[in-house]
Amino acid sequence: MNKILIIDGQGGLLGKQLVETIRKLIPEAEITAVGTNPTATTNMLKAGAANGATGENAVKVCARSADIIVGPIGIAIADSLLGEITPDMAVAIGQSTAKKVLIPINKCNNIIAGTGDKSTSELITDAIDKISRSEERRVG
């Protein structure tokens, strides 16, 4: 069973969608939700995350034991999400040995070339596909 860490900020709506979809498609996954603020954490917990925490230290601690880290690409860029991602959070995510599935959301002055104009739903579907393939490789 993979430990999947979902990190999100602001309203946590992307994280909420990720939790719901992963819970449905990979029910055996152990999902931990870390929000950069209480609203994000609450929304991900309501969506079905098994564990939840908030803030910089939670990101640092949970990133150490995760198998997969999922979230918008901004979680790996200091000062992203309107400043909610601290430099220490970005470093903890970047240095984690977990596989990172970063969703290319073009917001907060982070523009990712080559991503096209996919909807959030299409980006989530692609992310879940990559997580599922990672699960298969780990089991097989």
Side-chain angles (χ1 to χ4, degrees), residues 6-68:
I6 299 173
I7 302 172
D8 198 11
Q10 302 187 349
L13 298 181
L14 176 66
K16 176 180 184 261
Q17 289 178 284
L18 285 165
V19 171
E20 290 170 345
T21 306
I22 292 169
R23 179 71 47 232
K24 188 184 318 176
L25 298 176
I26 312 170
E28 70 280 4
E30 181 184 323
I31 301 172
T32 298
V34 174
T36 59
N37 62 66
T39 301
T41 304
T42 298
N43 282 329
M44 291 187 283
L45 283 169
K46 284 181 182 177
N51 307 296
T54 303
E56 178 179 271
N57 199 57
V59 169
K60 292 160 90 174
V61 170
C62 293
R64 289 193 296 249
S65 62
D67 295 314
I68 300 172

Side-chain angles (χ1 to χ4, degrees), residues 53-116:
T54 303
E56 178 179 271
N57 199 57
V59 169
K60 292 160 90 174
V61 170
C62 293
R64 289 193 296 249
S65 62
D67 295 314
I68 300 172
I69 297 174
V70 187
I73 196 163
I75 65 172
I77 301 171
D79 298 331
S80 286
L81 305 182
L82 299 175
E84 290 186 15
I85 301 298
T86 68
D88 284 349
M89 288 174 165
V91 168
I93 292 162
Q95 290 181 341
S96 172
T97 59
K99 287 188 177 171
K100 288 94 174 161
V101 179
L102 302 174
I103 299 172
I105 304 290
N106 289 327
K107 290 187 179 177
C108 299
N109 291 330
N110 297 314
I111 300 168
I112 300 92
T115 58

Side-chain angles (χ1 to χ4, degrees), residues 113-126:
T115 58
D117 291 325
K118 290 185 177 181
S119 69
T120 301
S121 295
E122 290 172 315
L123 293 169
I124 289 172
T125 299
D126 188 45

